[in-house]
Amino acid sequence: MATTMHSEGAIPTANGSASGRSRWKYMDTILSREGGHTDDDYDPGKTPIDNIEKSKVLVIGAGGLGCEILKNLALSGFKNIDVIDMDTIDVSNLNRQFLFREKDVGRAKASVAAEFVMQRVPSCKINAFVGKIQDKDEDYYMQFSIVICGLDSIEARRWINATLVGMVEMENPDSLKPLIDGGTEGFKGQSRVIFPTMTSCIECQLDMHAPRAAVPLCTLATIPRQPQHCIEWAHIIKWEEERKDIVLDTDDPEHITWLYQTALARAKEFNISGVTYSMTQGVVKNIIPAIASTNAIVAASCCNEAFKIVTSSAPFLGNPGQNNYMLYTGDSSIYTYTFEHQQKEDCPVCGNLPKDLSVNAESTLGELIESFAERPESQLKKPNVRTEEKTLYYSTPESIRQQTEPNLKRKLSEMLIDGEEMAVSDPAFAIDFRYKIRFA
């Protein structure tokens, strides 16, 4: 039987042939030898390469970060990828989301991105899904080795984080799915690695995402001065007046279009210019304009962590007790910093203890509910409040809202006792925030 001769440093594929590996020669060089930081039991060569080829990766988001992440994964040897995104391509995307062309405007981002990458890297198979991450169940997420997020929405991050934490079964190690999250804001960005239940999760880190400053309702309702005021008026006031029975979905184009048209009419009434669909989307979703170079740097960091986790070729962020968070700032120079964000015992997702909540006993339930939107650890827009014994207030459905609305004017001391545990939920999240009331 003839034998196949391999050149020095070539790594055979599963069928014993080194042909077709030339594209990956630099990656093979890294994986075919031990490094200064590899573990003692690291097995260089075929094992880490097979791990890359066999690992199934989910990429959430096919926008500025998502395009970079998909490209990096494909060029790093990952062959089995799913991508989820519900948005369509807009002309404004073309300056930084490099997988898209003018002819693609109006098409689904996930589909176009998958087609482009597979055309350039035929050995990579990418399944595109157009829709929301909430449309998929736990069985779907259980099939992946790693989940990488390139999202522009805090709410979506919190949802996938809670889902992955809830999937973990102590007797089944395969149920733990590492979550790699990237985010950018102008010249700043971050990447972080989360091992659900083992390390700090996104909910633990929520206080690092300070809620945006609120515009006084009196300004919105009487004399708006900026186009953003008109959008917030449509978002906060007009939606509640005309569509209060519908939960606002900031990822639904029909909902954003309604807000845009309503805000535009308001702006014309006060001779304010500048209201656009893109601005409406940005204000409602709190989107900060993206910069291509920041996306590239943060996406590279995310994919580098995925590469290290799958191959064990180098220490990765997220090992329990070690650094799990990378911050990048590029305002005046290129600067990165890594640190360990510690897990919180009172985290509503991965913790076991309720969080102490200091309140004024003489304040009203309505004042408490309004404060949840500005609390860094919750940032809830439509909080529902209950104790073990009674329901204090529910924003939906309409029948319960009408029954509990009178409680908004009652003092907390009339409905709660010091040390009582209270659960707060929101239609946008599948978790309860547990608080232990402490009267100040």
Side-chain angles (χ1 to χ4, degrees):
M1 183 174 66
T3 58
T4 303
M5 298 298 293
H6 305 301
S7 60
E8 184 177 356
I11 305 298
T13 55
N15 61 5
S17 171
S19 62
R21 293 297 309 175
S22 59
R23 185 167 200 163
W24 319 109
K25 65 178 182 179
Y26 297 110
M27 182 187 77
D28 290 351
T29 299
I30 294 173
L31 299 180
S32 63
R33 62 191 181 191
E34 296 180 355
H37 299 286
T38 52
D39 293 333
D40 293 336
D41 58 352
Y42 177 64
D43 183 18
K46 187 174 183 299
T47 299
I49 292 176
D50 284 347
N51 288 342
I52 283 185
E53 294 184 350
K54 294 177 182 178
S55 294
K56 191 168 186 178
V57 181
L58 173 63
V59 177
I60 301 178
L65 270 177
C67 286
E68 292 279 357
I69 290 170
L70 288 170
K71 176 260 295 180
N72 291 345
L73 291 176
L75 294 177
S76 298
F78 288 90
K79 296 182 180 298
N80 198 352
I81 303 171
D82 278 20
V83 58
I84 299 180
D85 196 299
M86 69 174 297
D87 287 344
T88 55
I89 299 167
D90 185 77
V91 173
S92 63
N93 301 146
L94 303 182
N95 71 330
R96 63 192 182 280
Q97 298 175 21
F98 63 95
L99 299 182
F100 309 141
R101 302 292 182 266
E102 189 173 356
K103 64 181 176 60
D104 300 320
V105 170
R107 294 188 61 199
K109 288 184 178 181
S111 301
V112 176
E115 292 170 6
F116 193 105
V117 173
M118 288 192 290
Q119 183 180 6
R120 294 294 295 270
V121 188
S123 61
C124 180
K125 172 65 176 175
I126 302 179
N127 298 311
F129 292 94
V130 181
K132 299 188 294 184
I133 55 176
Q134 292 88 346
D135 295 337
K136 301 293 185 180
D137 57 18
E138 288 189 1
D139 290 338
Y140 174 78
Y141 293 109
M142 193 66 76
Q143 65 183 304
F144 298 100
S145 303
I146 290 178
V147 177
I148 306 178
C149 288
L151 291 162
D152 58 11
S153 166
I154 297 295
E155 287 78 8
R157 284 186 174 94
R158 295 171 72 179
W159 188 91
I160 189 64
N161 173 73
T163 297
L164 296 182
V165 170
M167 284 167 45
V168 176
E169 300 174 359
M170 299 307 295
E171 65 277 5
N172 179 17
D174 291 337
S175 65
L176 191 151
K177 309 296 178 182
L179 173 63
I180 302 174
D181 176 64
T184 63
E185 293 183 354
F187 286 102
K188 299 178 181 180
Q190 106 277 323
S191 64
R192 47 187 167 179
V193 180
I194 295 163
F195 284 81
T197 71
M198 295 179 62
T199 64
S200 167
C201 75
I202 285 178
E203 207 70 35
C204 293
Q205 304 165 13
L206 191 62
D207 53 4
M208 297 188 69
H209 301 273
R212 58 183 171 177
V215 180
L217 283 175
C218 57
T219 299
L220 299 181
T222 55
I223 308 177
R225 298 184 298 273
Q226 302 174 11
Q228 292 87 345
H229 293 170
C230 299
I231 296 170
E232 289 284 23
W233 173 82
H235 176 205
I236 297 174
I237 297 177
K238 207 61 178 175
W239 184 279
E240 286 297 316
E241 289 181 357
E242 299 189 9
R243 309 187 79 179
K244 60 184 178 182
D245 294 333
I246 303 174
V247 177
L248 176 63
D249 183 353
T250 57
D251 289 321
D252 189 328
E254 189 275 327
H255 289 189
I256 297 297
T257 299
W258 188 92
L259 293 174
Y260 160 61
Q261 293 173 344
T262 305
L264 186 61
R266 174 80 165 177
K268 289 180 179 178
E269 181 183 348
F270 288 89
N271 295 319
I272 298 173
S273 60
V275 174
T276 64
Y277 182 91
S278 179
M279 177 185 285
T280 303
Q281 196 173 36
V283 170
V284 173
K285 298 180 68 174
N286 198 20
I287 297 174
I288 296 176
I291 296 173
S293 58
T294 309
N295 285 337
I297 291 170
V298 171
S301 175
C302 291
C303 294
N304 192 34
E305 295 306 321
F307 184 89
K308 293 186 291 184
I309 291 172
V310 169
T311 64
S312 301
S313 57
F316 47 82
L317 290 176
N319 271 318
Q322 298 182 12
N323 291 349
N324 56 13
Y325 205 115
M326 186 280 289
L327 282 175
Y328 161 76
T329 56
D331 301 76
S332 56
S333 62
I334 297 176
Y335 175 77
T336 62
Y337 171 68
T338 61
F339 65 94
E340 180 193 3
H341 195 292
Q342 296 184 346
Q343 193 172 18
K344 295 182 178 179
E345 290 187 345
D346 59 2
C347 172
V349 173
C350 67
N352 298 313
L353 301 175
K355 187 178 186 67
D356 282 347
L357 181 63
S358 179
V359 297
N360 185 339
E362 297 303 302
S363 62
T364 65
L365 178 63
E367 291 171 336
L368 175 63
I369 286 177
E370 287 183 2
S371 73
F372 283 119
E374 300 178 356
R375 290 182 181 275
E377 80 281 357
S378 58
Q379 301 182 33
L380 304 178
K381 297 179 180 178
K382 294 184 176 181
N384 303 318
V385 183
R386 69 181 188 277
T387 65
E388 290 185 1
E389 297 182 354
K390 56 183 177 292
T391 297
L392 301 183
Y393 177 75
Y394 263 59
S395 58
T396 56
E398 177 69 14
S399 58
I400 300 181
R401 186 186 69 81
Q402 292 178 350
Q403 294 177 20
T404 57
E405 203 166 34
N407 288 338
L408 296 176
K409 298 180 180 180
R410 297 178 62 187
K411 294 181 180 180
L412 295 178
S413 58
E414 298 174 6
M415 296 177 290
L416 298 167
I417 60 175
D418 189 51
E420 187 173 7
E421 188 169 323
M422 178 179 70
V424 183
S425 61
D426 189 288
F429 307 107
I431 58 173
D432 285 343
F433 296 82
R434 296 164 56 209
Y435 291 100
K436 184 165 287 188
I437 296 297
R438 301 296 186 190
F439 287 145

